[in-house]
Amino acid sequence: MSEYISFPFFCYSFYMDEFLRMNVFFVVTTVVVIVLGILLAVVLWRVQRILKNVEYISKQVVSESDIIRQDLREMRGEIREGKGRLKSLFGFCGKALNEQRKILNR
């Protein structure tokens, strides 16, 4: 079934048969698919770049956390070795605070 299409601004009329409609449909569909494919490729490229940056940052965080873990391990070892020194430091601070309180209460 053909449909009569009139274009008065072209000053002529023609019938658009099914074959012509089919060709127009396929051309339009092909253009839309190509445009969507290009847009999808651009979006995926950007996502890939973002994921690479996230991976780099996560590797940096892992390496820094390993360094911090090692530092804490060393600090705990030093505290364990020097327990007496740490205890005497707290004792000294406590005595100094008591003396300051006595002076302020006079």
Side-chain angles (χ1 to χ4, degrees):
M1 176 183 267
S2 296
E3 189 174 308
Y4 181 72
I5 297 177
S6 173
F7 293 104
F9 49 89
F10 288 129
C11 298
Y12 65 91
S13 300
F14 66 93
Y15 286 98
M16 186 179 223
D17 62 348
E18 283 82 19
F19 187 74
L20 183 58
R21 268 195 249 153
M22 183 179 62
N23 282 343
V24 170
F25 170 77
F26 285 126
V27 167
V28 169
T29 304
T30 302
V31 169
V32 168
V33 167
I34 290 172
V35 168
L36 289 178
I38 291 171
L39 289 176
L40 182 64
V42 169
V43 167
L44 290 176
W45 177 68
R46 295 291 296 170
V47 167
Q48 179 193 16
R49 288 182 61 197
I50 290 169
L51 289 177
K52 280 185 180 180
N53 287 337
V54 168
E55 182 180 8
Y56 173 76
I57 291 169
S58 67
K59 284 181 181 179
Q60 293 296 318
V61 168
V62 167
S63 67
E64 290 296 322
S65 67
D66 290 341
I67 292 170
I68 290 171
R69 188 178 305 129
Q70 182 64 30
D71 289 345
L72 288 175
R73 186 177 297 126
E74 290 173 6
M75 188 172 65
R76 279 185 290 193
E78 289 173 3
I79 289 173
R80 285 184 185 135
E81 289 173 1
K83 266 188 183 176
R85 285 184 274 166
L86 189 62
K87 199 173 193 180
S88 66
L89 177 65
F90 286 131
F92 173 76
C93 291
K95 288 179 185 177
L97 287 175
N98 285 336
E99 289 178 16
Q100 289 295 324
R101 285 184 195 153
K102 288 178 185 177
I103 293 172
L104 290 176
N105 288 336
R106 287 187 190 170

